[in-house]
Amino acid sequence: MAEISALMGALRGQQIPFVEKEPLSRHTTFRIGGPAAVLCLPETPAQLLRALELCREYGVRTYLLGNGSNTLFADEGFDGAVICTVDLRAPITVTGTTVSAPAGASLAAVCREAQKAGLTGLEFAYGIPGTVGGAVYMNAGAYGGELKQVLSRVTFLDKDLRLETLPVEELALGYRTSRFETDGGSILEAVFQLQPGAPQAIEARMQELMARRREKQPLELPSAGSTFKRPEGAFAGQLIEQCGLRGFAVGGAAVSTKHCGFVVNTGGATCADVIRLTDEIQKIVEEKTGYRLSREIRVVR
């Protein structure tokens, strides 16, 4: 495509790191996905802004990616620019009881910095395999906690690429959703408001939750975490197990035998395998229980 070639020339001229025809399976925890026409790896907010401006200038569609822990790319790949934020790694800073972190920082790293500073409130997020940006985007949560409980404000580029900072009350954070899903925007930084705590107690809680993850979840196989959203009044994993679907497989994609709420890549799974499997799960669960499951993973075609 002429537009892609022109974009790559402009990125090269601006010294913004990128890779051509990069397999997206290397950048998602599912280990599934064809090549991106361009994988852009900005290292500063200025480079991110410029990359987005260039994509608009040359008419190239974009997809913002963090750690790829909740994303399923098509087998054909993405015929545009995937802009990955993992290299946006400004320092994580602690000021009093607040922690500021760049979009590309891992949640685990933020939790560790909070623990070292004797700040409690983020323990639930330790072990969530995502970046700060991705976690804000979907209001990530686990073990009874979610980001909106500890988030103070977020700085981002809005859909018109203007810099904006909003308090948590204006981010429309709900169950695995936020204003960024509907309004767009590129998250740059998040500030968390925590509480003083004992470092040893915080560490103990983090390790307790990580042990529970290892015991209950199929961390030994590639997946995108919980495959379905929790339906009101029930749990997706329990419904799937109730329907006798433990181990149910299509191609290389299967319902985990360890936790039925996870679809795992048992080896060589394709996006098509996962889609067919999840469609079949939705159909069977609805027929047998009346519950309609919704996919939590983002499918990008």
Side-chain angles (χ1 to χ4, degrees):
M1 290 173 60
E3 296 87 349
I4 295 293
S5 296
L7 172 64
M8 289 192 295
L11 291 171
R12 195 175 291 114
Q14 298 278 324
Q15 297 185 318
I16 299 173
F18 73 91
V19 184
E20 182 182 3
K21 297 179 181 177
E22 174 73 0
L24 292 165
S25 57
R26 297 177 182 172
H27 300 274
T28 64
T29 57
F30 232 145
R31 298 293 179 256
I32 294 172
V38 178
L39 178 74
C40 187
L41 296 157
E43 297 173 343
T44 66
Q47 286 189 346
L48 172 62
L49 171 59
R50 189 64 185 129
L52 290 167
E53 289 174 339
L54 290 171
C55 288
R56 292 191 179 192
E57 181 178 338
Y58 292 104
V60 175
R61 71 182 185 125
T62 60
Y63 184 82
L64 282 163
L65 182 70
N67 194 47
S69 58
N70 198 45
T71 306
L72 176 63
F73 281 107
D75 300 313
E76 299 77 21
F78 187 80
D79 62 349
V82 173
I83 300 179
C84 189
T85 63
V86 294
D87 288 340
L88 291 174
R89 295 194 180 178
I92 299 167
T93 59
V94 178
T95 306
T97 56
T98 65
V99 178
S100 302
S106 71
L107 276 181
V110 179
C111 292
R112 286 194 293 269
E113 290 300 315
Q115 183 273 331
K116 286 191 291 185
L119 295 176
T120 183
L122 266 173
E123 291 88 332
F124 73 88
Y126 191 63
I128 295 178
T131 60
V132 167
V136 170
Y137 183 92
M138 65 174 294
N139 186 29
Y143 300 111
E146 54 187 352
L147 239 63
K148 74 175 183 180
Q149 297 168 349
V150 291
L151 196 60
S152 174
R153 61 185 183 274
V154 173
T155 298
F156 60 98
L157 297 171
D158 70 13
K159 62 183 179 181
D160 298 314
L161 303 184
R162 295 174 302 198
L163 189 65
E164 190 168 356
T165 298
L166 288 178
V168 63
E169 295 83 8
E170 296 182 35
L171 298 176
L173 296 178
Y175 177 61
R176 304 299 175 264
T177 189
S178 71
R179 64 169 285 161
F180 298 104
E181 281 204 282
T182 53
D183 296 351
S186 307
I187 297 163
L188 299 176
E189 182 187 63
V191 177
F192 302 94
Q193 180 63 59
L194 305 177
Q195 301 296 324
Q200 288 184 328
I202 297 167
E203 173 69 17
R205 179 60 173 164
M206 286 164 54
Q207 294 306 323
E208 175 195 348
L209 294 181
M210 181 58 77
R212 286 172 63 181
R213 282 181 179 276
R214 293 194 183 103
E215 178 187 359
K216 303 286 187 181
Q217 299 179 9
L219 303 184
E220 69 280 3
L221 290 172
S223 78
S226 297
T227 305
F228 298 99
K229 294 180 180 179
R230 183 181 66 245
E232 187 173 350
F235 294 95
Q238 290 180 357
L239 293 172
I240 294 167
E241 182 173 14
Q242 177 184 329
C243 292
L245 296 175
R246 183 181 294 273
F248 182 52
V250 171
V255 175
S256 169
T257 56
K258 193 173 185 179
H259 189 311
C260 290
F262 288 66
V263 167
V264 294
N265 181 354
T266 61
T270 64
C271 177
D273 289 342
V274 176
I275 296 300
R276 284 176 54 206
L277 176 60
T278 53
D279 284 349
E280 196 65 20
I281 292 168
Q282 287 172 317
K283 177 184 174 184
I284 292 170
V285 169
E286 186 170 18
E287 286 176 350
K288 291 190 174 184
T289 71
Y291 284 96
R292 176 67 180 173
L293 298 180
S294 298
R295 278 193 293 259
E296 183 173 312
I297 53 177
R298 269 61 173 179
V299 181
V300 184
R301 296 182 172 93

